[in-house]
């Protein structure tokens, strides 16, 4: 089990330290951890947010644990040197096109949600976000001046049918293993990309007769997520809409510090990261919530190493920790990053 540890920027190193403690506590056989720079940290140390040695390690290892990237001191750099390019580059280079973002309320923690407890209680959704296409990667993109000397910025929203089909298959299989309901989210009333997306989803649906497919516009989906999130089982959507809806889903659960994600390609290799960012405003204070990072370890064990039992252990320990009232300031508690990590390990 060769795992690349890419802690990155801001709170990344603090939450990654807890992930490493957790891995040690599990006593996994043949575990090898390799550390490398990524993001703003890598830019400052090596001149590039995704240095060649880091990319090489990411290609060689079996799985990647990723903290966060984002560094305000890099804000004025040209785009290809900005920390965010590191995660986008890794996703693209490794072909990690399928991003699984589960959002479920922890029993007993309904009050942490910004929704009414009786509504929050019902949340158990898996967001399947396409991760290597869409307006994130579409060309052309850039800036130009119009005839009148005015500045203009432009991006290209683009999906080809093969990209839609391969994420569709992941989503249908995911829904099949859950409650058999798949909601495809698009903006087909306005966007050509979405019309194609919807068409391809419908074409593939007959291959999964046991899954019920529905379509929803993204504006309605955003509204339904706070009105009645319990109606969703599995959501499949494009890169941009998935980015936005998964942040929204995290607050419905209680905190953005709680949601983990798995980024997968065709094989077993995956990149596992919290859905939150580097949170520079709280970095170094030991108050970051490590739960999303710890749950990312669980997802790694489940998806890359077939160790569902170990994953369940971690998830149960996290649930117990939260249920025992041990959480940090993001959820109106007072536990530090380290205390939360220790509490989870004690409950394994
Ligand atoms: C995420 C993040 C990234 C994204 C950023 C850091 C590039 O917001 O993983 O959700 O937009 O995909
Ligand atoms: Mg995001």
């Amino acid at each position: 089990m060769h795992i690349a540890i890419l802690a990155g920027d801001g709170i990344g190193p603090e939450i990654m330290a807890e992930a490493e403690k957790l891995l040690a506590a599990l006593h996994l056989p043949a575990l090898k951890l390799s550390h490398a720079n990524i993001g703003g940290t890598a830019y400052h140390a090596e001149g590039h947010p995704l240095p060649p040695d880091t990319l090489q390690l990411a290609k060689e290892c079996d799985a990647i644990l990723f903290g966060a990237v984002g560094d305000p001191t890099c804000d004025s750099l040209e785009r290809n040197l900005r920390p965010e390019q590191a995660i986008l580059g890794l996703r693209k280079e490794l072909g990690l096109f399928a991003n699984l973002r589960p959002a479920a309320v922890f029993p007993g923690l309904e009050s942490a949600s910004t929704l009414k407890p009786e509504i929050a209680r019902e949340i158990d959704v898996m967001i399947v976000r396409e991760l290597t296409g869409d307006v994130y990667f579409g060309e052309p993109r850039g800036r130009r001046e119009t005839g009148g000397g005015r500045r203009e910025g432009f991006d290209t929203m683009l999906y080809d049918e093969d990209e839609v089909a391969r994420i569709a298959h992941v989503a249908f299989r995911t829904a099949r293993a859950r409650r058999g309901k798949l909601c495809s989210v698009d903006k087909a009333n306005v966007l050509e990309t979405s019309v194609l997306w919807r068409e391809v989803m419908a074409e593939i649906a007959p291959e999964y007769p046991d899954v019920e497919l529905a379509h929803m516009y993204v504006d309605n989906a955003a509204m339904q997520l706070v009105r009645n999130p319990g109606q969703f089982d599995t959501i499949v959507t494009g890169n941009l809409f998935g980015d936005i809806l998964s942040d929204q889903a995290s607050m419905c659960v209680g905190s953005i510090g709680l949601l983990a994600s798995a980024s997968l390609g065709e094989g077993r290799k995956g990149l596992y990261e919290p859905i939150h960012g580097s949170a520079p405003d709280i970095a170094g204070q030991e108050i970051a919530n490590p739960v999303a990072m710890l749950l990312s370890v669980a997802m790694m064990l489940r998806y890359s190493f077939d160790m569902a039992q170990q994953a369940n252990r971690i998830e149960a320990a996290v649930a117990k920790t939260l249920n025992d009232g041990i959480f940090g300031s993001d959820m109106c508690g007072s536990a530090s990053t380290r205390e939360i990590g220790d509490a989870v390990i004690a409950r394994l």
Side-chain angles (χ1 to χ4, degrees):
M1 298 176 66
H2 184 198
I3 300 169
I5 303 283
L6 310 181
D9 306 327
I11 59 171
E14 294 159 56
I15 57 174
M16 190 63 85
E18 301 311 310
E20 289 192 56
K21 258 166 46 184
L22 173 63
L23 279 171
L26 290 171
H27 301 294
L28 301 169
L31 184 67
K32 179 182 169 196
L33 306 183
S34 301
H35 299 76
N37 288 324
I38 192 96
T41 315
Y43 171 76
H44 292 303
E46 304 182 50
H48 196 277
L50 179 53
D53 54 321
T54 302
L55 182 58
Q56 188 57 31
L57 169 66
K59 286 181 172 164
E60 281 168 15
C61 67
D62 301 311
I64 300 160
L65 274 181
F66 189 96
V69 289
D71 176 349
T73 69
C74 296
D75 276 354
S76 56
L77 294 175
E78 51 182 298
R79 177 153 307 278
N80 71 321
L81 292 177
R82 297 199 31 187
E84 291 77 11
Q85 293 306 307
I87 183 63
L88 298 176
L90 275 180
R91 291 169 181 171
K92 196 72 174 177
E93 287 280 339
L94 302 175
L96 305 173
F97 66 89
N99 188 215
L100 306 184
R101 300 192 156 186
V105 153
F106 291 90
L109 276 182
E110 293 80 4
S111 61
S113 171
T114 46
L115 303 179
K116 294 192 183 102
E118 64 271 23
I119 290 174
R121 188 166 298 133
E122 304 299 319
I123 304 175
D124 182 2
V125 58
M126 175 69 91
I127 298 178
V128 179
R129 170 190 176 194
E130 200 288 329
L131 206 56
T132 52
D134 203 356
V135 68
Y136 270 60
F137 293 96
E139 296 284 345
R141 60 185 287 158
R143 283 165 66 120
R144 61 190 166 209
E145 278 191 12
T146 62
R150 309 299 297 159
R151 287 166 301 164
E152 208 170 64
F154 58 98
D155 298 275
T156 301
M157 183 176 269
L158 187 142
Y159 269 121
D160 72 37
E161 62 176 307
D162 299 331
E163 288 174 306
V164 181
R166 66 179 183 176
I167 194 69
H169 284 291
V170 172
F172 276 104
R173 287 198 301 269
T174 303
R176 170 179 273 173
R178 289 171 51 92
R179 300 191 300 278
K181 276 177 61 183
L182 179 61
C183 181
S184 170
V185 170
D186 63 38
K187 187 69 186 171
N189 52 343
V190 176
L191 301 172
E192 287 305 323
T193 17
S194 283
V195 175
L196 176 77
W197 177 280
R198 194 176 275 228
E199 241 170 65
V200 175
M201 287 289 158
E203 284 162 14
I204 288 171
E207 294 177 43
Y208 301 86
D210 49 336
V211 176
E212 183 193 318
L213 173 68
H215 305 274
M216 195 180 278
Y217 296 139
V218 62
D219 49 351
N220 186 23
M223 184 270 279
Q224 296 295 340
L225 254 183
V226 290
R227 189 188 78 93
N228 174 20
Q231 71 186 282
F232 295 109
D233 170 21
T234 306
I235 288 176
V236 61
T237 191
N239 206 345
L240 179 64
F241 299 155
D243 179 43
I244 298 165
L245 292 180
S246 56
D247 267 34
Q248 190 186 341
S250 73
M251 269 330 278
C252 297
V253 167
S255 167
I256 192 156
L258 295 175
L259 261 61
S261 83
S263 303
L264 306 169
E266 302 287 0
R268 298 197 65 78
K269 177 185 255 173
L271 181 152
Y272 301 86
E273 58 170 331
I275 78 154
H276 62 70
S278 59
D281 54 324
I282 59 162
Q285 298 175 36
E286 270 292 324
I287 57 168
N289 186 346
V291 163
M293 190 75 242
L294 302 179
L295 292 176
S296 298
V297 173
M299 289 190 92
M300 174 184 78
L301 296 177
R302 175 172 291 120
Y303 291 106
S304 281
F305 300 111
D306 243 333
M307 297 176 131
Q309 227 177 332
Q310 299 284 19
N312 292 340
R313 270 179 86 197
I314 297 172
E315 286 161 359
V318 166
K320 179 101 176 58
T321 301
L322 296 173
N323 220 277
D324 288 345
I326 300 169
F327 38 75
S329 52
D330 57 320
M331 294 168 69
C332 304
S334 59
S336 71
T337 308
R338 230 171 278 175
E339 283 163 349
I340 298 169
D342 289 341
V344 170
I345 290 168
R347 283 160 183 76
L348 276 175

